[in-house]
Every structure is written in C-alpha cells, then in structure tokens.
Amino acid sequence: MTVLVFKDGVTRKADAVDPAWLRDDATEIVWVDIQSPGEADRQLLSNTFRFHELAVEDALAEAHHPKVELYDHVLYLILHGIVAKPTDKGFETHDIDFFLGRNYLVTVHHYMSRSIAEEQEVVLRHGTRLGEGPCSLLHHIIDRMVDHYGPEVDGLEDRLGLLEQQVFSRSRANPLKKILELKSDIASLRRVTLPQRDVVSRLARREFLQVSDAMSYRFRDVHDHLVRLADEAVFLQDRVTGLLDAHISTQSHRLNQVMKVLTVIA
C-alpha cells in the first residue's frame, strides 16, 4: 500500500492512513493506492474509510465491467487499464477501482498498473500536483489509462493489415487461426471501450457533485478520446468480419476448383 499526503504545500509519503485525515474539517489531500488487496486492506476500506460493503466487495474482486456508482458521498468507479501480452500478440485489460471522496482518492488493483506508477512518480516529483485535489488526480490517472490504449489499437490494425495482404494475395498459408485470434482481441477491446466511454460520459455531464464544472470539461476531453477508440473498435470489428468472410469464400472457391479437377480425372 502506498499513502501520499498533501499538506502545507508539500506532498509526502506516509506509513499508514491517519483517521484524522478523513474528518469533515481535515485539510489534507490523501491518495491511498492498494495493489493486490488482502484482509488488512478490507478492514481499511470497511472500518477506516467506511465504504459501502457492496463497493468493497467489488473492489476486492479481480474482474468487473466498467461502471460508476454513488454510495452516500463517495463516488465509486471501475475502469480498465490495458497492457500488451508477454507474447507480443494481443493485450489484456485489468480493472482499477476508484473511491473518490471530498479530500481523498483510493485506488485498488490486483495487478501492477503503469498508469498508477507513472502518476505516483509525477506526484512525488511535483509536490503541488496532489494539491489540485482528488478529482484532478482521478482525471490524470484515467487520462493516462486511455492514452495507453492507442498503441494497442495501432497494433491490432497492423495485424489486420498483414492478414488482409495474406488473404488477398492468395497465399498458400492458412491464416484462419490468426484471423480468429484477432477477432477475439477486437471483440475484447469493444467490450471494454464501449462501457468505459459511457462511464466517463457521466463524469463529463456533471451528474455528480464530486465533479466540478471545471473538471467536467477535462473529463469531456477524455470522453472524446474514448469515443474515437470505441468507433475504431467497431470499424476493426467490421473489417475483421469481412476478412473472415473473404477467407472462407476463397477457401470454398479453391475447394470447388479442386473438385472440378478430380471430377475430370475420374
């Protein structure tokens, strides 16, 4: 667990969460990041922060779809970060849970998150960044998460382009397995980007008191980026479906030609 506290213009690390920071009159701004949560973290979320039991259960589970819910005065979000697979083919997504309060942000994740790690470095390097407030911190993290989708989407498009060349050049190699793997990856991208777009859209529409008017405009920019990613996912889905149909048609044509030759020989 990493605890960062901003007070008197300075950001410092702390060993534990001081309950005094959570009082209504507290002036500190706190970021608590929990990786690979255990029973002690459950007690922290339930007893110290007093988060709703349903939100705590969701945060401790490894996989959930993106969503945003309001529990009392705490905004709870689930969003997915993206990381390339070790095989350099395809990607994986891992969810990050966010609890946004008046003067704190709590992040919970089961895997290492490069977006979280990058933002921690920036916060420690620029002591006043955390002083912008927990909602601003939330925006910075989500913005990084969305930016990391770009290279993976470009990778999917590159793989699709190579497979299209292979299919339409009448190569002897059978690309069916690669087409189906790519189709699965694109479907996964679509399943994640569409609901994330809707979650960030709610932040941009100023539905919640935790998000000020100024912050809603910043979330609107992230939403626009997610809209482009979602549209790209739909476009890639259509392309790979058309490619699969073309491959099957080509294989069927080749089989018919072979059958004609065999019929003549017979």
CSV table of all heavy atoms in Angstrom, one decimal, residues 22-47:
chain,number,residue,atom,x,y,z
A,22,LEU,N,-9.6,12.0,7.6
A,22,LEU,CA,-10.9,11.7,7.0
A,22,LEU,C,-12.0,12.5,7.6
A,22,LEU,O,-13.2,12.3,7.2
A,22,LEU,CB,-11.2,10.2,7.0
A,22,LEU,CG,-10.1,9.3,6.5
A,22,LEU,CD1,-10.5,7.8,6.6
A,22,LEU,CD2,-9.8,9.6,5.0
A,23,ARG,N,-11.7,13.3,8.6
A,23,ARG,CA,-12.7,14.1,9.2
A,23,ARG,C,-13.2,15.2,8.3
A,23,ARG,O,-12.5,15.6,7.4
A,23,ARG,CB,-12.2,14.7,10.5
A,23,ARG,CG,-11.9,13.7,11.6
A,23,ARG,CD,-11.9,14.4,13.0
A,23,ARG,NE,-10.8,15.3,13.1
A,23,ARG,CZ,-9.7,15.1,13.9
A,23,ARG,NH1,-9.6,14.0,14.6
A,23,ARG,NH2,-8.8,16.0,13.9
A,24,ASP,N,-14.4,15.7,8.5
A,24,ASP,CA,-15.0,16.7,7.7
A,24,ASP,C,-14.2,18.0,7.6
A,24,ASP,O,-14.3,18.7,6.6
A,24,ASP,CB,-16.4,17.0,8.1
A,24,ASP,CG,-17.4,15.8,7.9
A,24,ASP,OD1,-17.0,15.0,7.0
A,24,ASP,OD2,-18.4,15.8,8.5
A,25,ASP,N,-13.5,18.3,8.7
A,25,ASP,CA,-12.7,19.6,8.7
A,25,ASP,C,-11.2,19.4,8.3
A,25,ASP,O,-10.4,20.3,8.5
A,25,ASP,CB,-12.8,20.2,10.1
A,25,ASP,CG,-12.3,19.3,11.2
A,25,ASP,OD1,-12.1,18.1,10.9
A,25,ASP,OD2,-12.1,19.8,12.3
A,26,ALA,N,-10.9,18.2,7.9
A,26,ALA,CA,-9.5,17.9,7.5
A,26,ALA,C,-9.1,18.7,6.3
A,26,ALA,O,-9.9,18.8,5.3
A,26,ALA,CB,-9.3,16.4,7.3
A,27,THR,N,-7.8,19.2,6.3
A,27,THR,CA,-7.3,20.0,5.2
A,27,THR,C,-6.4,19.2,4.3
A,27,THR,O,-6.0,19.7,3.2
A,27,THR,CB,-6.6,21.3,5.7
A,27,THR,OG1,-5.6,20.9,6.6
A,27,THR,CG2,-7.6,22.1,6.5
A,28,GLU,N,-6.0,18.0,4.7
A,28,GLU,CA,-5.1,17.2,3.9
A,28,GLU,C,-5.8,16.6,2.7
A,28,GLU,O,-7.0,16.4,2.7
A,28,GLU,CB,-4.5,16.1,4.8
A,28,GLU,CG,-3.6,16.5,5.9
A,28,GLU,CD,-4.4,16.7,7.2
A,28,GLU,OE1,-5.7,16.8,7.1
A,28,GLU,OE2,-3.8,16.9,8.3
A,29,ILE,N,-5.0,16.4,1.7
A,29,ILE,CA,-5.5,15.7,0.5
A,29,ILE,C,-4.7,14.4,0.4
A,29,ILE,O,-3.4,14.4,0.5
A,29,ILE,CB,-5.3,16.5,-0.8
A,29,ILE,CG1,-6.1,17.8,-0.7
A,29,ILE,CG2,-5.7,15.7,-2.0
A,29,ILE,CD1,-5.9,18.7,-1.9
A,30,VAL,N,-5.4,13.3,0.3
A,30,VAL,CA,-4.8,12.0,0.5
A,30,VAL,C,-5.0,11.1,-0.7
A,30,VAL,O,-6.2,11.1,-1.2
A,30,VAL,CB,-5.4,11.3,1.8
A,30,VAL,CG1,-4.7,9.9,2.0
A,30,VAL,CG2,-5.2,12.2,3.0
A,31,TRP,N,-4.0,10.4,-1.1
A,31,TRP,CA,-4.1,9.3,-2.1
A,31,TRP,C,-3.6,8.0,-1.5
A,31,TRP,O,-2.4,7.9,-1.1
A,31,TRP,CB,-3.3,9.7,-3.4
A,31,TRP,CG,-3.4,8.6,-4.5
A,31,TRP,CD1,-4.2,7.6,-4.5
A,31,TRP,CD2,-2.5,8.5,-5.6
A,31,TRP,NE1,-4.0,6.8,-5.7
A,31,TRP,CE2,-2.9,7.4,-6.3
A,31,TRP,CE3,-1.4,9.3,-6.1
A,31,TRP,CZ2,-2.3,7.0,-7.5
A,31,TRP,CZ3,-0.8,8.9,-7.2
A,31,TRP,CH2,-1.2,7.8,-8.0
A,32,VAL,N,-4.5,7.0,-1.5
A,32,VAL,CA,-4.1,5.7,-1.0
A,32,VAL,C,-4.2,4.7,-2.1
A,32,VAL,O,-5.3,4.6,-2.7
A,32,VAL,CB,-5.0,5.3,0.2
A,32,VAL,CG1,-4.7,3.9,0.7
A,32,VAL,CG2,-5.0,6.3,1.3
A,33,ASP,N,-3.1,4.1,-2.5
A,33,ASP,CA,-3.1,3.1,-3.6
A,33,ASP,C,-2.9,1.7,-3.0
A,33,ASP,O,-1.9,1.5,-2.3
A,33,ASP,CB,-2.0,3.5,-4.6
A,33,ASP,CG,-2.0,2.4,-5.7
A,33,ASP,OD1,-3.0,2.3,-6.4
A,33,ASP,OD2,-0.9,1.7,-5.9
A,34,ILE,N,-3.7,0.8,-3.3
A,34,ILE,CA,-3.6,-0.6,-2.8
A,34,ILE,C,-3.5,-1.5,-4.0
A,34,ILE,O,-4.4,-1.6,-4.8
A,34,ILE,CB,-4.9,-0.9,-2.0
A,34,ILE,CG1,-5.1,0.0,-0.8
A,34,ILE,CG2,-4.8,-2.4,-1.5
A,34,ILE,CD1,-6.4,-0.2,-0.1
A,35,GLN,N,-2.4,-2.3,-4.0
A,35,GLN,CA,-2.1,-3.3,-5.0
A,35,GLN,C,-2.2,-4.6,-4.4
A,35,GLN,O,-1.7,-4.9,-3.3
A,35,GLN,CB,-0.8,-3.1,-5.7
A,35,GLN,CG,-0.5,-4.1,-6.8
A,35,GLN,CD,0.8,-3.8,-7.5
A,35,GLN,OE1,1.2,-2.7,-7.7
A,35,GLN,NE2,1.4,-4.9,-8.0
A,36,SER,N,-2.9,-5.6,-5.0
A,36,SER,CA,-3.1,-7.0,-4.5
A,36,SER,C,-3.7,-6.9,-3.1
A,36,SER,O,-3.0,-7.3,-2.1
A,36,SER,CB,-1.7,-7.7,-4.5
A,36,SER,OG,-1.2,-7.7,-5.8
A,37,PRO,N,-4.9,-6.4,-3.0
A,37,PRO,CA,-5.5,-6.2,-1.7
A,37,PRO,C,-5.7,-7.6,-0.9
A,37,PRO,O,-6.0,-8.6,-1.5
A,37,PRO,CB,-6.9,-5.6,-2.0
A,37,PRO,CG,-7.2,-6.0,-3.4
A,37,PRO,CD,-5.8,-6.1,-4.1
A,38,GLY,N,-5.5,-7.5,0.4
A,38,GLY,CA,-5.7,-8.6,1.3
A,38,GLY,C,-6.7,-8.3,2.4
A,38,GLY,O,-7.4,-7.3,2.3
A,39,GLU,N,-6.7,-9.1,3.5
A,39,GLU,CA,-7.7,-8.9,4.5
A,39,GLU,C,-7.5,-7.6,5.3
A,39,GLU,O,-8.4,-6.9,5.7
A,39,GLU,CB,-7.6,-10.1,5.5
A,39,GLU,CG,-8.7,-10.1,6.6
A,39,GLU,CD,-10.1,-10.0,6.0
A,39,GLU,OE1,-10.3,-10.6,5.0
A,39,GLU,OE2,-10.9,-9.4,6.7
A,40,ALA,N,-6.2,-7.2,5.5
A,40,ALA,CA,-5.9,-6.0,6.2
A,40,ALA,C,-6.5,-4.8,5.4
A,40,ALA,O,-7.0,-3.8,5.9
A,40,ALA,CB,-4.4,-5.8,6.4
A,41,ASP,N,-6.4,-4.9,4.0
A,41,ASP,CA,-6.9,-3.8,3.2
A,41,ASP,C,-8.5,-3.8,3.2
A,41,ASP,O,-9.1,-2.7,3.2
A,41,ASP,CB,-6.5,-4.0,1.7
A,41,ASP,CG,-4.9,-4.0,1.6
A,41,ASP,OD1,-4.3,-3.0,2.1
A,41,ASP,OD2,-4.4,-4.9,1.1
A,42,ARG,N,-9.1,-5.0,3.4
A,42,ARG,CA,-10.5,-5.0,3.5
A,42,ARG,C,-11.0,-4.2,4.8
A,42,ARG,O,-11.9,-3.4,4.8
A,42,ARG,CB,-11.0,-6.4,3.6
A,42,ARG,CG,-12.5,-6.5,3.9
A,42,ARG,CD,-12.9,-8.0,4.2
A,42,ARG,NE,-12.8,-8.9,3.1
A,42,ARG,CZ,-13.7,-9.1,2.2
A,42,ARG,NH1,-14.8,-8.5,2.3
A,42,ARG,NH2,-13.4,-10.0,1.2
A,43,GLN,N,-10.2,-4.4,5.9
A,43,GLN,CA,-10.5,-3.7,7.1
A,43,GLN,C,-10.3,-2.2,7.0
A,43,GLN,O,-11.1,-1.4,7.5
A,43,GLN,CB,-9.6,-4.3,8.3
A,43,GLN,CG,-9.8,-5.7,8.6
A,43,GLN,CD,-11.3,-6.0,8.9
A,43,GLN,OE1,-11.9,-5.3,9.7
A,43,GLN,NE2,-11.8,-7.1,8.4
A,44,LEU,N,-9.3,-1.8,6.2
A,44,LEU,CA,-9.1,-0.4,6.0
A,44,LEU,C,-10.2,0.2,5.2
A,44,LEU,O,-10.7,1.3,5.6
A,44,LEU,CB,-7.7,-0.2,5.2
A,44,LEU,CG,-7.4,1.2,4.8
A,44,LEU,CD1,-7.1,2.1,6.0
A,44,LEU,CD2,-6.2,1.2,3.8
A,45,LEU,N,-10.7,-0.4,4.2
A,45,LEU,CA,-11.7,0.1,3.3
A,45,LEU,C,-13.1,0.1,4.1
A,45,LEU,O,-13.8,1.1,4.0
A,45,LEU,CB,-11.9,-0.7,2.1
A,45,LEU,CG,-10.7,-0.8,1.1
A,45,LEU,CD1,-10.9,-1.7,0.0
A,45,LEU,CD2,-10.4,0.6,0.6
A,46,SER,N,-13.3,-0.9,4.9
A,46,SER,CA,-14.6,-1.1,5.6
A,46,SER,C,-14.7,-0.3,6.9
A,46,SER,O,-15.7,0.4,7.1
A,46,SER,CB,-14.9,-2.5,5.9
A,46,SER,OG,-14.9,-3.3,4.7
A,47,ASN,N,-13.6,-0.3,7.7
A,47,ASN,CA,-13.7,0.2,9.0
A,47,ASN,C,-13.1,1.7,9.1
A,47,ASN,O,-13.6,2.5,9.8
A,47,ASN,CB,-12.9,-0.7,10.0
A,47,ASN,CG,-13.5,-2.0,10.1
A,47,ASN,OD1,-14.7,-2.2,9.8
A,47,ASN,ND2,-12.7,-3.0,10.4
